[in-house]
């Protein structure tokens, strides 16, 4: 059952650190290490883009399955046992091992197989920590916790990419660093955050229950569909940034890596600002649906800017707009999802499904982006599609009713 007691700064701090580690190890390879591993010579660069898209897509598919399964199993923990901590610990250590393997492999097939393991580990860990929002927080603090998740996503990219670039780490050393981060921080966070034992009252009943009944809830289903489409739009706009700098703007490798870090810093600043502001605002007003829809429109504007003016300066402006839009969308949208959960006994399973929309966006976005690049031999259609999908995601979200407090 959701708590009615507010948590303190210690809980929020540890929770934020957990998500900072999760996002760092998931997105640093997506933005930097995987494209470097899979990049191909200039005369065959489209093949590298396609390989990267397929690897990320297959990894996303694995996460789609693993997250809800892990969440459902943790919901069904025996009475007297911990529900979330064992899964958080197992997921963090499995992720660390698979990151090490990814760093040692070469070629799209081997890298893709190892990345599937990373995606599964991240999905399991994310399901455990996300469930704590509904388990332990009252509605008036869910926006703040969701802000921690959203802002940590952007900070994690800067932290990971910044360390790899500024320390001059190679691919193998970069993965080793990420493995250490998730192993240490994930373990500490899982042990420090409370995890009350399960009770028979909290366990879902096996009889008279339909599988995935939450998907039959009208408002929950509209929210999920809007979240999925908007996440695809975000993945289209961000997953191929390094390739865009290298082959869309024709920048040398070293310059492209430095400029990627600069873009990520700009993106991060605006994600954090938008996450904190809109998270607090949504807690105070309770109108999460309207804020979520507005956020998708701001995200769409970033795609329009970069498609119309494909220069590095315009890309900087687009990164700021993307940060504002996605920071607000990811934060308020997650709190909106927690408000719409149909059944308190299936918190982890249903929030695992919510996380699937982000993972599915990371699956579809890179694959679709690679296909669009191959279709037109450039990147303009990628950013146009990102803008259109962001708008559609906002429209779908608007069909979900805002629950009364």
């Amino acid at each position: 059952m959701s708590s009615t007691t507010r948590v303190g700064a210690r809980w929020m701090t540890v929770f934020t650190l957990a998500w900072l580690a999760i996002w760092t190890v998931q997105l640093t390879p997506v933005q930097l290490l995987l494209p470097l591993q899979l990049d191909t010579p200039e005369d065959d660069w489209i093949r590298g883009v396609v390989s990267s898209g397929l690897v990320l897509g297959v990894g996303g598919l694995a996460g789609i399955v693993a997250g809800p399964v892990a969440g459902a199993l943790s919901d069904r923990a025996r009475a007297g046992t911990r529900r979330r901590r064992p899964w958080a610990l197992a997921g963090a250590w499995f992720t660390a091992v698979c990151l090490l393997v990814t760093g040692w492999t070469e070629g799209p097939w081997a890298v893709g197989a190892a990345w599937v393991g990373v995606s599964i580990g991240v999905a399991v860990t994310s399901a455990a920590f996300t469930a704590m929002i509904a388990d332990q927080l009252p509605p008036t603090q869910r926006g703040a916790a969701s802000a921690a998740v959203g802002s940590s996503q952007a900070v994690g990219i800067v932290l990971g990419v910044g360390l790899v670039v500024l320390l001059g780490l190679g691919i193998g050393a970069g993965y080793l660093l990420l493995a250490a981060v998730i192993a240490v921080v994930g373990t500490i966070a899982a042990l420090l955050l409370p995890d009350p034992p399960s009770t028979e009252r909290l366990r879902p009943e096996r009889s008279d229950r339909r599988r995935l009944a939450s998907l039959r809830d009208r408002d929950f289903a509209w929210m999920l569909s809007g979240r999925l489409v908007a996440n695809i739009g975000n993945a289209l706009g961000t997953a191929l940034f390094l390739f865009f700098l290298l082959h869309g703007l024709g920048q040398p490798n070293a310059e492209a890596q430095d400029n990627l870090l600069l873009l990520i810093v700009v993106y991060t600043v605006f994600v954090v600002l938008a996450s904190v502001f809109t998270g607090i605002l949504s807690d105070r007003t309770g109108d999460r649906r309207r804020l979520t829809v507005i956020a998708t429109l701001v995200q769409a504007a970033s795609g329009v800017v970069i498609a119309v003016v494909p220069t590095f300066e315009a890309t900087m402006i687009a990164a700021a707009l993307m940060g504002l839009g996605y920071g607000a969308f990811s934060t308020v949208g997650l709190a909106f999802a927690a408000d719409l959960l149909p059944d308190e006994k299936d918190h982890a399973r249903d929030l695992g499904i919510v996380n699937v929309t982000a993972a599915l966006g990371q699956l579809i976005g890179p694959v679709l982006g690679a296909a669009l690049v191959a279709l037109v031999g450039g990147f303009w259609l990628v950013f146009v599609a990102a803008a259109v999908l962001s708008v559609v995601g906002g429209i779908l979200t608007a069909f979900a009713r805002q629950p009364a407090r």
Side-chain angles (χ1 to χ4, degrees):
M1 179 178 292
S2 300
S3 174
T4 58
T5 304
R6 294 176 64 86
V7 300
R10 178 181 177 274
W11 193 99
M12 285 290 184
T13 300
V14 176
F15 183 76
T16 301
L17 289 175
W19 278 101
L20 181 61
I22 290 171
W23 289 124
T24 298
V25 304
Q26 181 181 19
L27 296 178
T28 302
V30 169
Q31 291 293 327
L32 181 63
L33 297 178
L34 286 173
L36 289 177
Q37 281 180 288
L38 300 171
D39 194 21
T40 49
E42 185 66 30
D43 59 355
D44 193 25
W45 65 270
I46 290 180
R47 182 167 60 88
V49 175
V50 173
S51 295
S52 180
L54 291 176
V55 166
L56 294 176
V58 173
L61 180 61
I64 287 170
V65 176
V69 169
L73 292 175
S74 70
D75 283 333
R76 287 155 178 76
R78 295 192 308 272
T81 61
R82 308 289 176 178
R83 294 195 294 169
R84 315 305 182 196
R85 185 173 296 154
W87 293 93
L89 290 171
W93 280 94
F94 185 71
T95 301
V97 171
C98 292
L99 282 167
L100 293 176
V101 175
T102 306
W104 293 335
T105 56
E106 296 181 0
W109 289 103
V111 172
W115 185 248
V116 166
V118 175
S119 299
I120 291 173
V122 167
V124 171
T125 310
S126 299
F129 284 113
T130 304
M132 294 179 183
I133 296 176
D135 287 347
Q136 302 179 27
L137 299 184
T140 54
Q141 282 191 304
R142 289 175 181 169
S146 299
V149 177
S151 59
S152 296
Q153 178 176 1
V155 175
I157 302 175
V158 172
L159 179 63
V161 174
L163 287 174
V164 172
V165 172
L166 296 178
L167 295 178
L169 300 179
I171 292 174
Y175 279 110
L176 177 61
L177 174 64
L178 297 179
V181 167
I182 191 62
V184 174
V185 179
T187 299
I188 292 174
L191 294 177
L192 290 182
L193 286 171
D195 184 25
S198 180
T199 64
E200 286 296 335
R201 183 173 58 85
L202 291 176
R203 297 186 70 198
E205 300 174 3
R206 295 184 178 181
S207 59
D208 299 327
R209 294 178 62 85
R210 295 175 295 178
R211 291 183 179 181
L212 299 181
S214 58
L215 297 181
R216 298 179 176 89
D217 181 270
R218 173 193 177 277
D219 298 313
F220 193 72
W222 279 120
M223 178 276 301
L224 281 178
S225 61
R227 191 168 176 83
L228 169 62
V229 174
N231 269 300
I232 296 173
N234 176 263
L236 272 176
T238 58
L240 301 179
F241 253 152
L242 182 58
F243 285 116
F244 174 67
L245 295 176
L246 288 170
H247 307 295
L249 299 182
Q251 297 181 352
N253 189 288
E255 181 184 354
Q257 290 189 47
D258 291 340
N259 285 337
L260 175 65
L261 178 57
L262 182 58
L263 288 172
I264 290 174
V265 169
V266 171
Y267 176 79
T268 296
V269 169
F270 284 94
V271 165
V272 172
L273 290 175
S275 295
V276 173
F277 176 75
T278 58
I280 295 173
L281 181 63
S282 74
D283 278 343
R284 291 181 177 177
T285 65
D287 191 359
R288 308 201 205 269
R289 181 182 64 175
R290 181 179 302 176
L291 288 171
T292 304
V293 172
I294 292 173
T296 63
L297 301 180
V298 177
Q299 178 175 290
S302 68
V304 174
V305 168
I306 199 170
V308 173
V309 189
T311 64
F312 181 69
E313 293 74 18
T315 305
M316 292 279 286
I317 297 173
L321 289 172
M322 178 67 77
L324 280 174
Y326 189 69
F329 172 78
S330 62
T331 294
V332 183
L334 180 57
F336 188 35
D339 290 345
L340 290 172
L341 291 175
D343 193 332
E344 67 183 20
K345 294 183 178 182
D346 281 315
H347 278 167
R349 184 201 66 187
D350 291 342
L351 282 174
I353 295 173
V354 172
N355 283 340
V356 159
T357 60
L360 190 55
Q362 292 299 323
L363 183 160
I364 297 175
V367 175
L368 177 59
L372 294 176
V373 169
L375 179 65
V376 299
F379 293 86
W380 66 268
L381 187 56
V382 170
F383 297 109
V384 170
V388 171
L389 289 172
S390 297
V391 171
V392 173
I395 294 173
L396 294 173
T397 301
F399 286 115
R401 289 177 295 225
Q402 173 67 51
R405 284 193 171 181

